[in-house]
Amino acid sequence: MRVLICEDSALLRAGLVRVLEDAGHEVVAALPDASNLDETVDRTAPELCILDVRLPPRWTDEGIRAALSLRARLPELAVLVLSQYVEERYAADLISSSGGALGYLLKDRVADVTDFLEAIERIAAGATVLDPEVVAQLLSRRTRDERMLRLTDREASVLALIAEGRSNQAIAKTLHVTEGSVEKHITAVFQKLNLEPDESGNRRVLAAIAHLEHGGATPPPPPTPPSQTPPSQTPGGRGPQTGTNR
C-alpha cells in the first residue's frame, strides 16, 4: 500500500515510516506539516494518508481541516487521523463528513504494532475504524435517540462493533455467533434505524454515525421474574412421580 504521512513529531514520523516499511508498505512521503500536502498527494498518489490532528504552524486543527479537505476533494483516498487524546468536536466533524474510508485513532495505539497495522489494512479496504476511546467519549456526550430504543441488546452490541469499523467476521468472532446471525442483526439494525438501501452502500457508516451521535441507547433488560419453586420439586421435598406403578 502507498502511504503518505503528515506528522510534526520527527520521532513519531520516523517510527511510522519504519513500521510501515517493515510491514511491506511504501511510504511515498513523510511531511512535517500540511503546507504542501495537497501538492504532494497529487504528485505521489497515495492510497492512505495518515495525519496528526494538530499540525504547525498553530497546532490547533490544521490536521483535521486538511483531512476534511482531502475527503471532500479525493473521496477515494483513505484517511487516518492520529490524535494525542480524544478531541470530540473534531472527531464528530470528521465522522459526519462525506468521503471515503476513515480512521480516527489515538497515538497510543501505534505502540501496538500488530493492532495498528491491522487497523490501516481495514481502513484501506474501505472500513471506518474508530478508536474505542473515541467511541466511548462520543457516546457519553450525545443525546439519546428514540430509534436506539428499538434495538435489542444483541443488535445494539452489533451496532457498537460496526461503529468501531469491525467486519462481519470480526463481529461474529467477538460475539461468538455465526456470520449469518450477524448479517440478520445488521439487517434488523438498518430497518429499525430507518436506513433505506442505497447504491453507495453507506448504510453501515450512517448507522455508525447515528450510534455515535445519539448515544447508542439500548432497551432496559427485562425484569427478573420472581423466584418460583423449581418444577422438579414438590412440596414436601419429593420429586415428581414418573411412570406408573406395576
Side-chain angles (χ1 to χ4, degrees), residues 5-10 12-13 31-35 37 50-67 80-91 94 104-107:
I5 300 168
C6 189
E7 163 63 52
D8 67 289
S9 168
L12 180 55
R13 191 167 64 248
L31 308 176
D33 58 59
S35 58
L37 178 61
I50 301 176
L51 305 100
D52 189 356
V53 166
R54 298 176 181 270
L55 291 169
R58 293 183 295 121
W59 283 278
T60 54
D61 61 350
E62 287 85 353
I64 285 292
R65 288 191 288 108
L80 167 60
V81 172
L82 298 178
S83 180
Q84 189 67 42
Y85 50 88
V86 180
E87 312 220 29
E88 182 205 347
R89 179 172 62 85
Y90 295 156
L94 194 62
Y104 190 112
L105 298 177
L106 297 184
K107 290 184 177 180

Side-chain angles (χ1 to χ4, degrees), residues 131-231:
D131 193 289
E133 184 64 24
V134 174
V135 174
Q137 291 207 26
L138 287 174
L139 289 180
S140 69
R141 288 172 168 82
R142 298 300 184 185
T143 58
R144 296 186 181 275
D145 186 335
E146 289 184 359
R147 294 179 302 169
M148 297 299 171
L149 298 176
R150 304 172 188 170
L151 304 183
T152 65
D153 288 345
R154 178 65 80 186
E155 290 163 357
S157 297
V158 169
L159 179 53
L161 292 170
I162 289 175
E164 291 183 13
R166 303 298 181 92
S167 65
N168 288 8
Q169 182 180 19
I171 294 172
K173 183 176 180 181
T174 300
L175 299 179
H176 306 290
V177 298
T178 65
E179 288 189 55
S181 295
V182 171
E183 291 173 0
K184 290 179 181 178
H185 289 315
I186 292 175
T187 298
V189 167
F190 290 159
Q191 291 174 344
K192 292 180 180 181
L193 296 185
N194 302 324
L195 298 176
E196 299 295 333
D198 58 35
E199 294 181 358
S200 63
N202 283 332
R203 286 197 298 174
R204 202 176 181 97
V205 174
L206 293 174
I209 292 173
H211 178 72
L212 295 173
E213 288 185 340
H214 303 290
T218 57
T224 303
S227 59
Q228 299 177 353
T229 303

Side-chain angles (χ1 to χ4, degrees), residues 3 5 15 38-40 66 76 93 109 111 114 124 132 155 180 192 194 197 201:
V3 184
I5 300 168
D38 285 343
E39 175 186 338
T40 306
E76 73 281 4
D93 289 347
R109 305 297 174 187
T114 301
E155 290 163 357
K192 292 180 180 181
N194 302 324

